[in-house]
Amino acid sequence: MDPALELQSDPQELMPRKRPIQERSRRKFDALLAASRELLVEVGFESFTCEEVAARADVPIGTLYQFFANKYVIVCELNRQDLVGVQHELAQFNGEVPSLDWLRFLNSFVDHLAGLWTSDPSRRAVWLAMQSTPSTRATGALHEKALAEQISRMLAPLTPHTLRERRKMMAEVLVHVVYSMLNFSVQDNQSHADAVAELKRLMGAYLLVAEKESRSSAPKS
């Protein structure tokens, strides 16, 4: 039985067998991931096969298996790729929190992420595929934690008197809510704009309360 399908007491992160170093190998690796995104959107995860990915990428199936043990590892790598991209973009805005205008930053960044979800249908396809097994879900949780750690650091100036562990939990809640709501926003028969507006309200209210609580707990001089 494929380990990714097993109910394990301590599921391990699903990762590529190796990452390419040489340019030629990187091109093949990238071609496999690009073909995987395309196939995932077209046929869904149940009908997704490594053989079809290799054929579309014009790469021998043996080469695919040098990098990826199975399709579950492929989709986890796509998820990691998406989250790393978000982390890089967040890093560009790190100095904007806690300016007095941080709420505008929050709204603009949510709009940016929402644009990614509408312009790139593979993001929702990857997110849905990540829910397919205990190991993919566990791997997705690890990816979200890495993003949450970055957000927790960004929240520190906004909530200077909040305990670090609580701030970490707040960041994990924010990441989970944002990703769940963005995927909800692009469902069929769903108003994307309305869902994004609700997401902004949720995040804004949550952070305003957190900021107020943090400042009220400041040591009295």
Side-chain angles (χ1 to χ4, degrees):
M1 184 176 183
D2 194 311
L5 301 176
E6 295 178 4
L7 184 59
Q8 303 171 24
S9 58
D10 183 25
Q12 300 300 304
E13 181 179 3
L14 300 182
M15 300 176 64
R17 284 173 165 156
K18 66 176 183 178
R19 297 189 184 279
I21 298 175
Q22 297 181 343
E23 180 62 28
R24 183 179 177 186
S25 294
R26 280 201 298 270
R27 285 199 299 269
K28 292 178 180 178
F29 188 85
D30 291 343
L32 287 166
L33 291 177
S36 296
R37 283 189 184 278
E38 178 185 278
L39 182 62
L40 198 56
V41 172
E42 286 184 22
V43 305
F45 193 57
E46 286 189 11
S47 300
F48 181 100
T49 66
C50 291
E51 289 75 14
E52 180 61 21
V53 169
R56 290 191 178 211
D58 195 23
V59 170
I61 188 65
T63 300
L64 181 149
Y65 285 126
Q66 287 177 12
F67 295 122
F68 306 106
N70 50 47
K71 70 179 190 176
Y72 304 98
V73 177
I74 293 176
V75 79
C76 286
E77 181 63 13
L78 292 174
N79 188 66
R80 189 196 69 82
Q81 191 179 63
D82 286 346
L83 282 173
V84 165
V86 172
Q87 284 181 282
H88 286 164
E89 293 182 16
L90 262 179
Q92 305 303 313
F93 295 97
N94 194 36
E96 297 198 28
V97 179
S99 73
L100 294 176
D101 212 17
W102 67 265
L103 195 55
R104 187 196 298 180
F105 156 72
L106 173 69
N107 288 339
S108 65
F109 194 73
V110 170
D111 282 336
H112 175 68
L113 289 180
L116 293 178
W117 256 255
T118 52
S119 64
D120 182 3
S122 75
R123 287 180 178 266
R124 173 165 167 76
V126 169
W127 187 82
L128 288 173
M130 291 295 290
Q131 315 310 312
S132 61
T133 72
S135 288
T136 52
R137 289 194 295 273
T139 298
L142 290 173
H143 292 168
E144 286 190 3
K145 279 184 180 294
L147 179 57
E149 287 174 7
Q150 180 182 7
I151 291 174
S152 178
R153 292 192 295 271
M154 292 178 69
L155 290 177
L158 187 67
T159 55
H161 305 293
T162 298
L163 294 176
R164 181 179 298 178
E165 283 305 308
R166 172 132 193 271
R167 192 183 299 124
K168 179 181 174 184
M169 172 60 74
M170 288 167 52
E172 290 177 4
V173 167
L174 285 169
V175 170
H176 188 73
V177 167
V178 167
Y179 273 79
S180 296
M181 283 294 291
L182 286 174
N183 286 287
F184 170 75
S185 76
V186 292
Q187 289 180 9
D188 293 340
N189 302 316
Q190 181 58 252
S191 169
H192 176 73
D194 288 348
V196 170
E198 291 304 312
L199 172 59
K200 289 178 183 178
R201 290 190 188 98
L202 283 170
M203 294 180 67
Y206 185 68
L207 289 175
L208 282 169
V209 169
E211 181 185 29
K212 183 178 179 180
E213 287 181 349
S214 181
R215 298 196 185 286
S216 67
S217 63
K220 299 295 187 291
S221 56

